[in-house]
Amino acid sequence: MKKLSLLLYKNQPAVVTDIDKDKFIIKYCVQPATPTGKKAVYQEQKIREKDAALIHEGPVSSLEKVLENADSDYSSAVKETYELLASDEETKSQNISLKDLCEIAFSAFEADKAFSYFNSFNKSEEFALLQDELKNGNLIFVPRSEEEIKLINQKNYEKEHEAEIRQAFINRLKERKLDLPSDAKFMGEVEAFALNKTDKSKILTEAGLPLSQEKAHKLLIETGIWDITKNPHPTRFGFSFDSAREQLGKMPEEEREEVPCVCYAVDAPDAADPDDAVGYDGKYYWICIADPASSVKPDSSIDIAARDRGTTLYIPEGASRMLCESSLEDYALGLKEKEAGDDPKVKSSALAFRLLVNELSEIEECEVKKVLVHVKMISYAEAEKQKDSAELKPLFELARKNLSRRNKNNAVTIRMPEVHIKVDKETKKVTVEEEERYESNDMVQELMLLAGEGAARFAFKNKIPFPYVSQEAPEFPEKLPDGGWAEQFARVKCMRKRSVGITPAPHAGLGLSFYSQVTSPLRRYSDLVAHEQLRAFINGEHVLGKDEMLERIAAGDAASLAARKASRLSETHWKLVYLLQNPENVYEGFCIDRRGNDALFLIPALDMQTTLRNTGDFNLNDKVNLKAGSIDITTQNVIFSVV
């Protein structure tokens, strides 16, 4: 650069008026002259060389002369230059400087016209200014490909004819005859509305269509934007299909007691996040639970993110985990042992509830300990086969005694059907299978209840602010249906909602006077908070106050409620996809309730309920064969008929 050089400064021309050591004093226009007679306003600025790009070394006559030429139209010369370069294989995609372009286009590179030359090439469809070179102060262009030029021209056309293009799209939308894939770009707004990301849709309003998420969902299917398999429900409730991202890191080093017996993580065969294991050492029962609270501290970023999720979201497509996926390797129980071929030297870190119980399964002593434990992972079916083994028999016997104790305390046992839904990620083929229930399921459940009861008693005894779970007793009618699914459904209808509070109260449904949930800290935020409290106490550290803890529990519970709704709606979505994929299937249905002249039927194979209208001849527990007819996946309505 030198005096009277022409520069590009903040996308406008500037002239070097003087040089001060390593700085350049430039003059540029901050307000151009107007047709009404206002004069142009100029300003001087001291800059470094790297702050501007050199257009022409000069000398220019004046900045005013440069600006006079600024709007000259050289588009035809630019086009001819492009065609000349494009005709030569060596130059058609070669980087070329502004000076060289001007030599080709104009056989000259005049200082006073240099900015207008630059403008013509920079605004053209044929050439692209290389931004990385511009940052280095160089004005280098590259000829665009024919495809790039076509795309730019298309965008320019769409901008100029925006109103008529949009109206043509609206007309096609009304007729459900979109021109895909080009029309898909307009439908992003409708998708956002259907997914509850926005509460407005200008397109739906312009098309005279109702502002309803279900109607928008139906429209997206009818126009081919979405397939019927598209599941909008997690997104509608604000859930990501991705798990938490922040790493917990390795399990921290701390002193841990070794459990003197093998503990068994009994779960479904495809379980990926085992968080509990049970064992018996001849005197004590050990209920060992995953210990993420060893790394997650109250109000840490991981804790807050877990609170916002409330729980791991389980849907047929997979799990969106409350804690990051990588945490399972270090914190889930038994995964390391399984990978090591059940090497007894390999152990899991856990928070254990060591229970001493009497013959009636009443808890006489509960200790909470940080432990190392060797865990064996087995399925419910495998545990069922081994229930008379020396290791598992005491656990099954304790579970039976505990169930008997709870039943004597008027616990309510309800058995409704459960199904497992699988979705093939590639084909979206859906399978729905009834869950097979074993006594081993009940064994695990009873020991988890004992852990929850033991934790609640331990917290109460030691005056630890704690999340106690309670439930008021149901009010059953004088006469319940005589057995079958109808009786189970009648019991469900009478159950009260559970409550979480800082004061212990009976859980009537479980037949327990003390209870808290502590067995799923990897996937349930309230359990994680309970573990944080227990760990703080046994470490001699500060425990959260009652109000502080309750506030966290309430926030986690609100998010957890949304997750349960998203999960339930997602399961129904995939069941309806399954029905659409298998239209000829016939299912057994059982009458579980009468509502006037209508009858409510349960389909155990699907874990679905359906109402048959105007049916006066069915009694409770009557069995019929049902077939799905009309299915609306957007409103989740399906009509079954008797066959």
Side-chain angles (χ1 to χ4, degrees), residues 264-454:
Y264 291 83
V266 187
D267 215 324
D270 57 350
D273 53 357
D275 53 6
D276 56 73
V278 293
Y280 179 60
D281 67 5
K283 180 180 180 181
Y284 296 106
Y285 293 91
W286 293 84
I287 296 124
C288 300
I289 309 299
D291 193 15
S294 60
S295 294
V296 182
K297 304 303 179 187
D299 279 339
S300 64
S301 56
I302 296 177
D303 178 81
I304 292 170
R307 189 186 313 164
D308 290 341
R309 287 176 180 258
T311 183
T312 289
L313 173 66
Y314 291 100
I315 55 178
E317 298 97 310
S320 173
R321 301 192 186 282
M322 182 182 79
L323 299 175
C324 67
E325 193 85 29
S326 63
S327 68
L328 298 181
E329 182 180 349
D330 284 313
Y331 293 85
L333 301 186
L335 292 182
K336 288 182 179 178
E337 291 91 324
K338 184 178 181 180
E339 187 176 335
D342 282 334
D343 182 344
K345 296 178 183 178
V346 179
K347 299 179 186 264
S348 294
S349 298
L351 191 71
F353 299 90
R354 193 191 71 177
L355 303 179
L356 182 66
V357 302
N358 61 23
E359 281 300 310
L360 299 176
S361 87
E362 296 168 334
I363 298 173
E364 294 187 342
E365 177 188 310
C366 175
E367 290 294 328
V368 182
K369 295 176 173 289
K370 296 177 290 183
V371 300
L372 289 172
V373 55
H374 182 67
V375 176
K376 286 188 177 181
M377 294 176 62
I378 61 174
S379 68
Y380 290 116
E382 290 169 336
E384 195 72 16
K385 293 175 184 176
Q386 300 176 39
K387 66 181 179 182
D388 291 323
S389 66
E391 294 84 4
L392 295 184
K393 186 176 181 179
L395 304 177
F396 278 87
E397 289 177 344
L398 174 63
R400 293 172 194 134
K401 290 177 183 178
N402 198 56
L403 177 60
S404 175
R405 172 175 70 98
R406 293 194 304 106
N407 285 339
K408 287 177 182 177
N409 291 333
N410 299 313
V412 181
T413 301
I414 297 174
R415 288 276 192 265
M416 293 297 283
E418 295 181 20
V419 297
H420 183 56
I421 307 167
K422 291 182 180 178
V423 180
D424 186 283
K425 290 184 178 179
E426 298 297 325
T427 65
K428 302 299 181 183
K429 177 75 174 175
V430 185
T431 57
V432 180
E433 299 173 347
E434 287 188 75
E435 293 275 14
E436 188 171 0
R437 192 169 182 90
Y438 302 97
E439 187 185 0
S440 56
N441 293 81
D442 298 329
M443 181 271 285
V444 172
Q445 177 178 297
E446 291 301 324
L447 268 67
M448 295 307 107
L449 292 177
L450 277 165
E453 182 183 6

Side-chain angles (χ1 to χ4, degrees), residues 101-127:
L101 279 175
C102 292
E103 294 288 353
I104 297 171
F106 311 107
S107 301
F109 188 40
E110 299 179 35
D112 289 351
K113 295 182 179 180
F115 179 72
S116 61
Y117 295 157
F118 167 78
N119 253 352
S120 296
F121 283 105
N122 191 40
K123 293 178 180 179
S124 72
E125 293 88 12
E126 289 84 7
F127 292 91

Side-chain angles (χ1 to χ4, degrees), residues 396-545:
F396 278 87
E397 289 177 344
L398 174 63
R400 293 172 194 134
K401 290 177 183 178
N402 198 56
L403 177 60
S404 175
R405 172 175 70 98
R406 293 194 304 106
N407 285 339
K408 287 177 182 177
N409 291 333
N410 299 313
V412 181
T413 301
I414 297 174
R415 288 276 192 265
M416 293 297 283
E418 295 181 20
V419 297
H420 183 56
I421 307 167
K422 291 182 180 178
V423 180
D424 186 283
K425 290 184 178 179
E426 298 297 325
T427 65
K428 302 299 181 183
K429 177 75 174 175
V430 185
T431 57
V432 180
E433 299 173 347
E434 287 188 75
E435 293 275 14
E436 188 171 0
R437 192 169 182 90
Y438 302 97
E439 187 185 0
S440 56
N441 293 81
D442 298 329
M443 181 271 285
V444 172
Q445 177 178 297
E446 291 301 324
L447 268 67
M448 295 307 107
L449 292 177
L450 277 165
E453 182 183 6
R457 291 183 179 278
F458 180 87
F460 183 74
K461 174 185 174 182
N462 291 288
K463 298 181 174 57
I464 306 170
F466 212 61
Y468 298 100
V469 184
S470 61
Q471 186 183 45
E472 292 183 16
E475 293 184 8
F476 292 124
E478 291 185 13
K479 183 171 176 57
L480 286 168
D482 188 15
W485 294 118
E487 179 183 353
Q488 299 300 313
F489 181 70
R491 289 177 178 274
V492 170
K493 290 197 300 181
C494 296
M495 299 305 293
R496 305 285 185 87
K497 288 184 178 180
R498 69 157 204 164
S499 297
V500 180
I502 54 178
T503 304
H507 195 300
L510 297 176
L512 298 174
S513 54
F514 282 81
Y515 182 60
S516 182
Q517 288 184 310
V518 293
T519 58
S520 297
L522 285 175
R523 53 191 174 89
R524 203 161 48 207
Y525 181 71
S526 60
D527 296 41
L528 181 62
V529 172
H531 275 233
E532 290 172 353
Q533 290 289 86
L534 292 171
R535 280 189 126 269
F537 176 78
I538 63 178
N539 287 339
E541 299 170 353
H542 170 73
V543 296
L544 297 174

Side-chain angles (χ1 to χ4, degrees), residues 5-276:
S5 289
L6 180 63
L7 309 180
L8 182 68
Y9 178 70
K10 294 184 178 180
N11 296 318
Q12 59 181 308
V15 173
V16 178
T17 59
D18 207 350
I19 300 175
D20 182 8
K21 296 180 182 177
D22 61 342
K23 299 288 180 68
F24 298 86
I25 300 169
I26 63 169
K27 176 183 178 183
Y28 64 100
C29 182
V30 293
Q31 185 177 310
T34 65
T36 57
K38 283 190 177 180
K39 293 183 178 180
V41 178
Y42 298 94
Q43 183 172 310
E44 286 198 341
Q45 178 85 25
K46 186 180 288 188
I47 67 168
R48 298 165 297 180
E49 184 174 2
K50 68 176 184 177
D51 294 332
L54 179 65
I55 299 177
H56 197 292
E57 289 187 351
V60 295
S61 304
S62 65
L63 177 59
E64 290 79 1
K65 190 66 176 177
V66 170
L67 292 172
E68 279 180 25
N69 295 321
D71 295 327
S72 299
D73 182 13
Y74 299 112
S75 56
S76 55
V78 170
K79 190 178 293 291
E80 288 174 6
T81 304
Y82 175 80
E83 291 171 354
L84 180 63
L85 292 172
S87 65
D88 187 337
E89 287 296 325
E90 291 186 9
T91 60
K92 65 186 300 182
S93 59
Q94 196 175 66
N95 296 352
I96 187 166
S97 69
L98 174 64
K99 180 180 179 181
D100 289 342
L101 279 175
C102 292
E103 294 288 353
I104 297 171
F106 311 107
S107 301
F109 188 40
E110 299 179 35
D112 289 351
K113 295 182 179 180
F115 179 72
S116 61
Y117 295 157
F118 167 78
N119 253 352
S120 296
F121 283 105
N122 191 40
K123 293 178 180 179
S124 72
E125 293 88 12
E126 289 84 7
F127 292 91
L129 179 65
L130 298 181
Q131 296 300 315
D132 287 343
E133 291 287 349
L134 179 61
K135 291 176 184 176
N136 296 323
N138 302 316
L139 301 180
I140 307 295
F141 289 86
V142 62
R144 289 190 172 105
S145 68
E146 292 182 8
E147 291 75 15
E148 290 174 317
I149 294 172
K150 185 178 179 182
L151 184 60
I152 290 171
N153 287 332
Q154 177 67 24
K155 287 182 177 178
N156 290 337
Y157 176 84
E158 289 175 358
K159 189 173 182 180
E160 292 172 11
H161 300 82
E162 183 178 358
E164 58 191 88
I165 290 173
R166 186 177 180 87
Q167 187 56 53
F169 159 72
I170 293 295
N171 294 337
R172 291 193 295 275
L173 181 62
K174 289 178 180 179
E175 296 176 3
R176 311 298 195 269
K177 294 180 180 178
L178 295 188
D179 182 12
L180 297 177
S182 61
D183 277 345
K185 61 181 177 291
F186 296 110
M187 294 297 285
E189 176 194 304
V190 179
E191 290 187 87
F193 178 77
L195 293 170
N196 199 34
K197 292 182 177 180
T198 178
D199 59 357
K200 296 177 182 178
S201 172
K202 190 176 179 181
I203 285 174
L204 291 178
T205 302
E206 288 179 16
L209 299 173
L211 286 174
S212 156
Q213 286 183 349
E214 290 78 13
K215 295 290 186 184
H217 185 176
K218 187 174 183 179
L219 180 67
L220 289 162
I221 292 174
E222 289 175 343
T223 53
I225 301 296
W226 284 1
D227 184 76
I228 60 164
T229 60
K230 172 71 175 182
N231 176 17
H233 301 291
T235 309
R236 284 180 181 174
F237 283 93
F239 287 94
S240 165
F241 284 90
D242 298 323
S243 298
R245 296 187 181 278
E246 188 172 351
Q247 304 289 317
L248 271 69
K250 295 287 185 182
M251 182 74 71
E253 294 288 335
E254 57 184 336
E255 187 176 342
R256 290 180 181 269
E257 179 179 329
E258 294 210 12
V259 176
C261 61
V262 173
C263 287
Y264 291 83
V266 187
D267 215 324
D270 57 350
D273 53 357
D275 53 6
D276 56 73

